[in-house]
């Protein structure tokens, strides 16, 4: 499945964004930020690509969040 991750500079902003997504009925998960991104607090919010537009609108409406960016994330499962 294809996901997006939202990366923030602080843990509190990451957790607040996850609560905000859930309040708007957008399923999400807190994950460890992939090492290749590197410039984050260590955790990120993962959600399905189909919610990207709404998630971007929510970030834009909350300018005080320490937002670093959205990244594409493919959830590869070892079989």
């Amino acid at each position: 499945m294809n996901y997006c991750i939202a990366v923030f500079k602080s843990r509190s902003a990451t957790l607040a964004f996850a609560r905000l997504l859930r309040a708007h009925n957008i399923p999400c998960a807190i994950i460890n930020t992939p090492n290749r991104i590197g410039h984050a607090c260590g955790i990120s919010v993962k959600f399905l690509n189909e919610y990207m537009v709404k998630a971007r609108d929510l970030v834009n409406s909350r300018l005080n969040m320490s937002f670093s960016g959205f990244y594409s994330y493919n959830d590869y499962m070892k079989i």
Side-chain angles (χ1 to χ4, degrees):
M1 296 190 113
N2 290 320
Y3 295 93
C4 290
I5 60 171
V7 179
F8 296 85
K9 296 175 186 167
S10 74
R11 293 177 75 84
S12 61
T14 302
L15 297 173
F17 187 65
R19 284 191 303 272
L20 184 62
L21 289 179
R22 290 180 185 128
H24 285 85
N25 298 316
I26 298 174
C28 63
I30 303 294
I31 64 166
N32 291 325
T33 303
N35 290 335
R36 66 180 179 260
I37 293 175
H39 63 279
C41 69
I43 58 173
S44 297
V45 181
K46 178 176 90 168
F47 55 92
L48 290 170
N49 280 348
E50 65 189 75
Y51 298 108
M52 180 61 198
V53 172
K54 182 65 176 172
R56 186 181 56 227
D57 291 345
L58 290 170
V59 165
N60 289 338
S61 71
R62 308 288 197 284
L63 297 177
N64 60 342
M65 290 186 163
S66 60
F67 183 64
S68 292
F70 288 112
Y71 294 84
S72 177
Y73 182 82
N74 293 322
D75 192 26
Y76 295 106
M77 297 179 66
K78 188 174 182 180
I79 299 175

